[in-house]
Structures are given as C-alpha cells and as structure tokens.
Amino acid sequence: MNERLLTPLDVATLRKDFALLTTPFQGKPLHYLDSAVSGQMPNAVIERMAHYQRFEHTNVHRGVSTLSQEATDRFEEAREKVRAFLHAPSLNQIIWTRGTTESLNLVAQSWGRANIKAGDEILLSAMEHHSNIVPWQMLATEKGASIKVIPMDDRGVLDLDALNTLLTPRVKILGITHVSNVLGTVNPVKEIIAAAHAKGILVVVDGAQAVPHLAVDVVDLDADFYAFSGHKLSGPTGIGVLYGKKELLEAMPPWQGGGSMILSVSWEKTTYMGIPGKFEAGTPPITEAIGLGAALDYLKAIGLERIAAHEQELLDYATQKLNKIEGLRIIGTAPNKASVLSFVLEGIHPHDVGSILDHEGVVVRAGHHCAQPVMKRFDIPATTRASFAYFNDRDDIDALVAGIHQVKDIFGTDSDGSAEEQS
Ligand code: PMP
C-alpha cells in the first residue's frame, strides 16, 4: 500500500488508552522506548482479561457446563483471531505456547528429536536471539549434530551468497529471525525460505520482533514454522503462538504429556489427540489467549499498515537525529529495518547510558539483548537500544536525544553543539 495515502496516527488520542504512558513516572513524563523488550497493553486488552476473569472464567475443553463451553468458545475465538492475523489456512495449525521461546523449543524438541540425527547440520543466522540458538544447541549435543551460521556484513545484512553455499544436503532445518531484535534488520525471509526449500530444507521463523511491525502471511512466506509472543504485540505475557504446516505438525510427536492432550490413557497405552491438542498439555493460558485476541482486535482497528508507516517515520527521524551525535555509532544499518535502533557511545558503557536515560524518564534497554553472538560479531560488550511502537511520537525521540546529550555532558564528551541537535 502507498504509505502516503494512509491517515497518520493520532498518537495523543491513542496514548489515552495506556495509563502507564499518561501517568508521570517518578515525577516525570514517561518516554517508553522499550517495546522490543515488551509492549504495553491498552486498556481494552486489560479490561477484556479482567472481564473474563470476573464473569466468564472456568477451565476450557472440560465438562458440559455452559460456563465451560462459553469459556472454550472465547478461547477458541482467540485462536481464530491469531489464525486470521497470520493468514494461516486452518485453526488447528495454531498452537498456544508460553511465548516465542517455548514455540522454538517445541520445534526443536518435537520435530528436532524425531528428525535430527548424528552428522546432520542445523543452520542459523548470525543474528539469532538466544531462544533460536540454545534449543538447537541442546538438540545438536544430544544427537551429535552440528550448528552452522549464516554470516552477516557490518551493516547487519545477511550474506545470501554464503547462505547458498551453506545449504548443503547435511542441513535439515534453517532457523531465521524475521526481524533482528538488536539490529532491526528485516530479513528477506521469503527469499531465504525459497532457497532452503529448493534444497528440501525446512525453515523455522522467529517472528517475535516482526509481528508488531509487519503484516505477516505465513502462506505467502511458505514458512514451515512461525513463532511469536503475545507480549510484544500489545498482549499479555505468558502466551505465544507456534504456527506450523499441517503435515509437519501431524507427523510430530507430542513433547509434553498430561491432561488435555490425550484421547485415551491406560497403563498399557496412551493415544493422543490430533493437532493442536496434542501439543497443548495441561490447562492453557486462557485469560492470556483471550487478551491476545483482544490485542489483535485493537491493532486491527488502528490498521497494521498505518502502524508500520508511523513506526518507519519514527525510525527515520530517530536515525537522522542520532547520526548527528558525535561519538555515537548506530549498530545495525541495514537498508530494510523495523522499529529498533541500537547504538553505542564512544567511551561510555551502555549500562551507564541506560541508567542516565532512565533518570530522565526515557526507558530503553541496555545490554546484550539475549544475542551475545551479535555483540561478538560487532566487537562490543552491549548496546543501548531504543525501540518504537505506534504510541510513540517525536517527543519521545527528542527526549532520547536530549538524554544522550545529558549522558555526554556528564561524561565530559558533549562538545558537538548539542543545542542544534536537540532542536
Ligand atoms: N526472539 C526474538 C527476536 C526476541 O526479540 C525475543 C524477545 N526478546 C524472543 C525471541 C523471545 O521471546 P520470549 O521471551 O517472549 O519467549
């Protein structure tokens, strides 16, 4: 869609949906630039969950009570909202998990343990979050398989020529993040998936940082598995999703056993439900699933394209402002980026930057962002990361820029005409 035809977001009105953003924090306005770590929930989501808890709650998929049937209906309606959001062909391809981490562990533990053997390779990109590294390392150690890594350049762009060389017959699965949580790079996952499929290799996509910013169509991407978390998407913590291709999910064994996932149990033999039930042992996060459904309704009402256009404008504005600050280096300069801006300040540790910004009411994240291999690749211990959402505006970025000058002032490195840059 042509972004210029989209109506701009009315951020001032939207912010009224978020008590945290409109209430002074430690006596100052709060500039929340940390949505990549966790988004904020609008009132509509909080109220929907509270209503469910107050008036509608019991366990789901159990019993004949009207209350239980209605709770089950609400829970399954939320699954349908996720299906529509991802454009998945059918409802039973949407599996509830606790989050991206659990979704990726499910793939590694269920598909991986059944299909990976000694000598096989698991291919991962150089910009994966630990949650798309560690489960595969655990599996590789258990099976005698090995991990190979797709390199990236100094901008944070994956080397697709290297990818083609790495896609050998030994590779059984490729794990790739759709959007990097450190660099902001939007990876060309459709192209990468096509290249892998041409060699008969499956692809699992970590969508944790993509779904808040991009419209995702799992069929168009042809992803074999796609994982995301509710809390990055204006929903609550404790809920996530794994989408999988039907024939893959059907062939995969359960990975956790217990109630709700069985057809019959005897001392001799247990039989399992079909998908998605066989992957959802125990009482699921019902309130959270309903909350995620409400979050998707909320985002849909604003319009995903409008959100993307707004965030892109903020990213461009912030990039331009930060690029003017002497001694500041942006980590992640890929041409195609989404909503994440990591940087380092010469001679100042990112934790100090984060703490001083915090004092000014600017919430950012400082650290390795659960991506230590990315830190090693750029030869830095950590970054300070600002990340943008639909409820942010230029004021938040101006507060960030002013805060960075304050940091430099404190460390005696602000000799670069701060007044001009803060304007
Ligand atoms: N992958 C990426 C790219 C992420 O940014 C995150 C969250 N930082 C995760 C995976 C893990 O998500 P969660 O902690 O919600 O399981």
Side-chain angles (χ1 to χ4, degrees), residues 307-327:
I307 290 175
H310 176 77
E311 291 172 348
Q312 197 61 48
E313 196 274 327
L314 288 182
L315 178 67
D316 293 347
Y317 179 73
T319 304
Q320 184 210 329
K321 288 271 171 184
L322 263 58
N323 266 332
K324 284 192 194 159
I325 300 176
E326 203 183 300

Side-chain angles (χ1 to χ4, degrees), residues 36-37 99-102 104 129 131 177 179-181 206 208-209 229 231-232 365:
V37 85
T100 310
T101 303
E102 193 173 77
L104 296 170
H129 185 280
S131 64
T177 190
V179 172
S180 160
N181 67 316
D206 172 352
Q209 296 293 344
S229 304
H231 69 105
K232 313 259 189 203
R365 181 158 178 210

Side-chain angles (χ1 to χ4, degrees), residues 2-75:
N2 185 341
E3 287 177 7
R4 273 172 303 182
L5 297 179
L6 298 170
T7 333
L9 297 189
D10 178 359
V11 174
T13 304
L14 276 177
R15 282 168 85 98
K16 292 186 185 142
D17 292 339
F18 299 85
L20 187 87
L21 303 176
T22 47
T23 312
F25 189 80
Q26 297 185 320
K28 291 184 177 154
L30 190 76
H31 299 282
Y32 190 78
L33 293 173
D34 210 6
S35 290
V37 85
S38 204
Q40 294 296 339
M41 283 190 286
N43 286 335
V45 173
I46 297 168
E47 278 158 16
R48 181 65 192 94
M49 291 194 293
H51 182 86
Y52 170 76
Q53 294 272 354
R54 281 203 189 96
F55 301 109
E56 300 174 322
H57 174 67
T58 183
N59 217 324
V60 294
H61 295 306
R62 285 166 174 84
V64 292
S65 69
T66 307
L67 194 64
S68 176
Q69 283 168 13
E70 288 185 353
T72 304
D73 287 348
R74 300 295 89 79
F75 178 68

Side-chain angles (χ1 to χ4, degrees), residues 177-191:
T177 190
H178 198 164
V179 172
S180 160
N181 67 316
V182 180
L183 309 165
T185 310
V186 181
N187 284 314
V189 284
K190 188 172 172 176
E191 195 182 330

